[in-house]
């Protein structure tokens, strides 16, 4: 169920693994209708995709690429280089995956809503790729140990013809409080522009949410006079999905139905494609359906935790953006870059030496206390920072003494550490443990 990235690639991989099976994809929406804009992949994710599906990898090779992250706050702009991204429109991605599925012999049925019980009775295997609001997960919540929470910020997935040349995080003040935008290019002359309203910023003005003109004015300085547009004007709280099990009898959940990764780390589609590939691999290795599904669940469930946790750390950081903005702009920018993946300060300095040097040079009077800004994103990590109110040192990740980043952790004009190749590309179907997108 579901003709998104997970469902389409899973159908292709299963048909290749079991060519004697009849593989059918049911999708509620019409073909060529998509409600999103761009899909972004990190360089690590691209290497993984090239291994899993070379034809999609070839498509990505011709799409929009960029290296930088740009942070716009307090009237200033800060850049961090060397990250590496590829993006394409969601429509282009789905078209490519649908073409692969049809070429493999998959039967794609659009505008074809189906009921779970009927599918389970008629088919040997049901793959539920029905998204973050999965009806399958709701129906089997007890059996799967499903828990769904929601972030406190509200967001809308918008687009604009304004050009961006970096992964851009924009923070603007409004009468109701700070608001955030996440912008990036993806081709077709359109950029993705996600608007996020933290709790406490505009909660009393939800009547303005659907007013695209309002948001075009709020972010006018960043849109070159171009209006915002919306394929789907709905606003929502981001769902955080956790399962104890992704398999129940002959049903397996994949993609956002099984787990979500916050849009600020850009890993949701990557995880969905990995799910689909690894499920196909499991079904191809073992003739027993029950054994194959058990093996997929055993291997895959731990594999998604790292990126899911990074996404949740990042989500909580953006929810607290109004608090973080109280600090000096350079410190705020370093803080943002470290929010999800606990990057060593040396790594941030290698990508943005001037930014880190400026942040490190702040006086104790200008800097927030160690209990404030840099503590919060790391509270969900395995190691808590700060460990003491006055000073915290965690293996050189971030060091604070009287509110300062310690200069002794700045690298001596060192080159950026080499990136490890994708484990999937190195050694077959294992989870790729790359850095989450800043």
């Amino acid at each position: 169920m579901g003709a998104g990235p997970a469902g389409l690639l899973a159908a292709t991989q299963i048909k290749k693994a079991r060519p004697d099976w009849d593989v059918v994809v049911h999708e509620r929406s019409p073909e060529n209708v998509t409600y999103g804009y761009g899909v972004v992949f990190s360089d690590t994710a691209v290497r993984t995709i090239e291994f899993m599906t070379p034809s999609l990898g070839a498509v990505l090779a011709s799409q929009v690429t960029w290296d930088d992250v740009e942070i716009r706050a307090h009237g200033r702009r800060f850049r961090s280089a060397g990250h590496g991204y590829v993006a394409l429109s969601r429509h282009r991605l789905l078209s490519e995956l649908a073409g692969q599925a049809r070429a493999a012999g998959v039967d794609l049925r659009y505008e074809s809503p189906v009921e779970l019980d009927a599918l389970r009775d008629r088919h040997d295997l049901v793959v539920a790729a029905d998204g973050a609001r999965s009806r399958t997960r709701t129906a089997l919540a007890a059996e799967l140990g499903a828990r769904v929470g929601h972030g406190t910020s509200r967001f809308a997935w918008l687009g604009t013809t304004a050009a961006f040349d970096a992964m851009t995080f924009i923070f603007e003040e409004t009468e109701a409080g700070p608001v955030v935008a996440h912008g990036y290019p993806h081709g077709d002359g359109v950029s993705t522009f996600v608007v996020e309203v933290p709790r406490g910023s505009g909660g009393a003005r939800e009547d303005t949410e659907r007013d695209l003109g309002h948001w075009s004015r709020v972010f006018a300085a960043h849109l070159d006079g171009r209006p915002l547009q919306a394929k789907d004007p709905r606003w929502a709280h981001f769902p955080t999905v956790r399962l104890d099990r992704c398999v129940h009898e002959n049903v397996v959940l994949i993609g956002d139905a099984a787990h979500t990764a916050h849009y600020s780390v850009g890993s949701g589609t990557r995880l969905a494609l990995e799910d689909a590939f690894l499920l196909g691999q499991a079904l191809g290795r073992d003739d027993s359906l029950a054994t194959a599904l058990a093996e997929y669940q055993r291997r895959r469930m731990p594999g998604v935790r790292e990126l899911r946790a990074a996404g949740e750390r990042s989500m909580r950081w953006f929810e607290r953006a109004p608090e973080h903005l109280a600090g000096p702009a350079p410190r705020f920018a370093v803080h943002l870059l470290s929010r999800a993946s606990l990057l060593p300060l040396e790594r941030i300095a290698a990508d943005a030496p001037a930014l880190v040097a400026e942040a490190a040079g702040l006086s104790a009077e200008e800097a927030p206390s160690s209990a404030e800004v840099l503590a919060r994103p790391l509270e969900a990590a395995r190691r808590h920072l700060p460990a003491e109110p006055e000073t915290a040192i965690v293996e050189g990740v971030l060091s604070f003494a009287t509110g300062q980043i310690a200069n002794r952790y700045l690298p001596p004009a060192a080159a950026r550490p080499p990136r490890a190749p994708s484990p999937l590309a190195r050694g077959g179907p294992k989870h790729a443990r790359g850095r989450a997108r800043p």
Side-chain angles (χ1 to χ4, degrees):
M1 288 186 288
L8 290 171
L9 184 59
T12 301
Q13 296 298 125
I14 292 170
K15 186 64 176 177
K16 290 179 178 179
R18 300 287 186 98
D20 57 320
W21 283 13
D22 293 325
V23 180
V24 180
V25 175
H26 293 275
E27 167 59 46
R28 300 175 63 87
S29 299
E31 188 171 5
N32 298 321
V33 171
T34 178
Y35 301 102
Y37 283 91
V39 178
V40 63
F41 298 104
S42 69
D43 53 1
T44 300
V46 170
R47 290 194 295 272
T48 300
I49 291 168
E50 289 170 343
F51 174 80
M52 296 189 299
T53 168
S55 59
L56 179 55
V59 170
L60 292 178
S62 64
Q63 302 301 307
V64 176
T65 63
W66 70 93
D67 290 325
D68 293 358
V69 170
E70 182 167 291
I71 301 163
R72 304 179 184 181
H74 294 302
R76 298 187 61 185
R77 299 188 180 194
F78 303 96
R79 282 230 169 187
S80 173
H83 298 277
Y85 300 105
V86 176
L88 76 169
S89 71
R90 183 172 174 83
H91 182 273
R92 181 73 178 87
L93 174 64
L94 294 178
S95 177
E96 172 63 26
L97 292 172
Q100 289 186 24
R102 287 193 171 103
V106 175
D107 180 4
L108 300 183
R109 301 180 186 178
Y110 292 89
E111 299 181 79
S112 175
V114 289
E115 297 298 327
L116 176 62
D117 289 342
L119 287 180
R120 293 178 67 186
D121 291 340
R122 294 200 310 265
H123 298 278
D124 297 311
L125 173 64
V126 176
V127 179
D130 50 347
R133 294 189 290 270
S134 169
R135 296 183 180 187
T136 306
R137 186 184 62 239
T138 299
L140 299 177
E143 293 83 352
L144 298 170
R147 301 174 303 286
V148 181
H150 290 87
T152 60
S153 295
R154 291 177 63 81
F155 75 97
W157 210 272
L158 308 178
T160 177
T161 55
F164 291 91
D165 63 354
M167 179 64 65
T168 307
F169 298 104
I170 302 168
F171 300 83
E172 282 290 343
E173 289 285 347
T174 71
E175 292 180 359
V179 293
V180 187
H182 311 242
Y184 58 87
H186 60 75
D188 297 340
V190 178
S191 297
T192 294
F193 200 83
V194 180
V195 175
E196 179 175 343
V197 180
R199 182 176 59 184
S201 293
R205 299 186 58 185
E206 292 185 5
D207 58 308
T208 65
E209 286 185 346
R210 292 178 180 268
D211 182 357
L212 293 181
H214 167 76
W215 296 112
S216 296
R217 291 188 294 274
V218 168
F219 294 104
H222 310 278
L223 297 174
D224 300 325
R226 310 292 180 87
L228 291 172
Q229 55 187 252
K231 293 181 179 179
D232 183 352
R234 288 178 299 179
W235 287 69
H237 296 275
F238 188 83
T240 56
V241 175
R242 293 184 181 86
L243 301 181
D244 292 333
R245 296 163 293 282
C246 63
V247 173
H248 175 66
E249 297 177 350
N250 66 336
V251 180
V252 56
L253 276 67
I254 64 174
D256 283 351
H259 45 70
T260 52
H262 194 252
Y263 49 81
S264 61
V265 298
S267 298
T269 304
R270 165 189 168 176
L271 290 176
L273 295 175
E274 288 180 1
D275 287 354
F277 176 80
L278 295 172
L279 178 60
Q281 293 283 299
L283 291 169
R285 280 195 300 265
D286 203 300
D287 290 336
S288 166
L289 177 61
T291 302
L293 293 180
E295 183 67 2
Y296 169 78
Q297 177 172 263
R298 184 184 71 81
R299 290 175 176 268
R300 187 56 180 155
M301 291 293 287
V304 304
R305 290 173 187 157
E306 181 180 350
L307 286 176
R308 187 188 68 199
E312 291 195 21
R313 285 195 296 270
S314 183
M315 179 181 73
R316 299 305 177 196
W317 190 94
F318 280 101
E319 290 174 346
R320 285 172 153 170
E323 302 169 48
H324 305 323
L325 278 165
R331 182 65 52 76
F332 174 81
V334 171
H335 194 204
L336 187 154
L337 292 171
S338 69
R339 73 194 184 281
S341 300
L342 307 186
L343 292 180
L345 192 58
E346 293 90 341
R347 181 61 173 272
I348 300 175
D351 292 339
L355 168 61
V356 174
E358 184 178 358
L362 291 170
S363 69
E365 290 73 24
E366 295 173 294
S369 71
S370 61
E372 291 182 38
V373 174
L374 280 169
R376 289 184 177 119
L378 307 186
E379 290 173 351
R382 281 170 285 184
R383 294 170 297 196
H384 177 75
L385 179 66
E388 300 293 338
E390 297 81 14
T391 304
I393 300 175
V394 183
E395 298 179 3
V397 174
L398 290 168
S399 177
F400 260 61
T402 63
Q404 298 183 44
I405 298 177
N407 284 298
R408 65 193 181 91
Y409 281 96
L410 299 181
R416 185 180 305 110
R419 298 183 186 277
S422 163
L424 266 176
R426 282 204 310 267
K430 297 179 181 178
H431 174 60
R433 295 166 60 90
R435 178 174 73 170
R437 192 185 87 194

